[in-house]
Amino acid sequence: MKFFVDTADVGQIRELAATGLLDGVTTNPTLIARSGRNFLDVIAEICAIVPGPVSAEVVATEHEAMVAEAEKLTPIAPNITIKVPLTLDGLKTCKVLTDRGIMVNVTLCFTANQALLAAKAGATFISPFVGRHDDVSWDGMDLIEDIKTIYDNYNFETEILVASVRHPIHVLQAAKIGADVVTVPPDVIKKLFNHPLTDKGLESFLADWAKTGQSIV
Ligand code: E4P
């Protein structure tokens, strides 16, 4: 399963990229606003840090305007992925862009039927939002299972990118289902490293090592 980070915070991206774990980055207009940076500048900087797909989202809602925004974004770097919303205009735009060889991430997916349409429009990635589903008392992971079944039934190449991840259990469930990608906020990625027994074990190993009076270097 590929790991993307869901943020436009360049400091966090640099720190996580140094672990070698990052396969890509997703952003959205909310995350760009939170960064306080110019959209084009911050996307260019992220693309230079992470060689994998970097999602930059259009904000137009009509097809021609979406294509115009995509044409402004795509020259930034070869790893730009254009993010479009799962609307009729968004999927028209998806088809046009993927026909041109541009990677497209179709976002704001909340049903398996929407995911089916995105695959038929040639989407590179489909982003089902699991956390926002959970927020309204649906199990977001049921949606991932349904999309996985449908995509496997028809050998669609669109990658399932699990989005709106809120905690480590989402990551575990996504991996068990066999999702292609999970995009995770930095604080949740950091939680994946932690376990109290790891901390406790390390503490006792170091205490015992100190008793030996030795040093390795
Ligand atoms: C995905 O690409 C979105 O940017 C993101 O995962 C949305 O997450 P949220 O529901 O926590 O805002």
Side-chain angles (χ1 to χ4, degrees):
M1 185 168 68
K2 291 177 225 170
F3 266 66
F4 289 6
V5 63
D6 195 32
T7 186
D9 181 329
V10 169
Q12 299 261 27
I13 293 169
R14 267 187 215 289
E15 186 189 1
L16 290 166
T19 67
L21 279 174
L22 282 195
D23 299 300
V25 179
T26 51
T27 68
N28 64 37
T30 302
L31 296 171
I32 296 295
R34 203 174 288 159
S35 78
R37 303 264 317 267
N38 171 275
F39 182 29
L40 303 185
D41 290 349
V42 77
I43 290 293
E45 200 173 333
I46 295 169
C47 287
I49 301 168
V50 179
V54 173
S55 289
E57 187 162 342
V58 299
V59 289
T61 53
E62 296 187 358
H63 171 61
E64 286 79 9
M66 285 182 184
V67 172
E69 289 183 353
E71 284 170 348
K72 176 96 179 176
L73 293 166
T74 45
I76 292 177
N79 53 333
I80 280 280
T81 300
I82 302 299
K83 211 173 181 191
V84 298
L86 209 155
T87 59
L88 194 149
D89 285 74
L91 291 190
K92 267 171 79 177
T93 305
C94 173
K95 178 85 178 91
V96 166
L97 298 178
T98 53
D99 282 352
R100 292 183 193 172
I102 296 165
M103 291 187 287
V104 176
N105 176 359
V106 176
T107 190
L108 291 167
C109 170
F110 292 94
T111 71
N113 276 339
Q114 287 180 316
L116 176 58
L117 296 179
K120 289 183 73 68
T124 318
F125 302 103
I126 182 68
S127 288
F129 277 36
V130 293
R132 293 191 195 189
H133 248 285
D134 294 354
D135 290 344
V136 292
S137 302
W138 288 71
D139 185 345
M141 283 298 159
D142 286 349
L143 174 60
I144 304 303
E145 279 182 358
D146 284 349
I147 298 171
K148 174 83 177 137
T149 301
I150 292 168
Y151 281 13
D152 286 351
N153 283 348
Y154 298 100
N155 294 318
F156 283 122
E157 288 179 6
T158 301
E159 294 190 31
I160 303 171
L161 192 168
V162 178
S164 188
V165 163
R166 302 279 165 78
H167 48 69
I169 300 294
H170 277 150
V171 178
L172 176 67
Q173 290 171 318
K176 286 171 85 170
I177 293 168
D180 302 284
V181 190
V182 67
T183 188
V184 189
D187 61 314
V188 178
I189 294 188
K190 287 175 185 166
K191 284 181 190 166
L192 297 174
F193 288 91
N194 297 335
H195 194 282
L197 290 180
T198 305
D199 297 341
K200 194 173 166 213
L202 183 59
E203 198 181 317
S204 74
F205 284 156
L206 293 180
D208 290 340
W209 176 251
K211 289 178 205 157
T212 72
Q214 299 179 48
S215 67
I216 296 175
V217 288

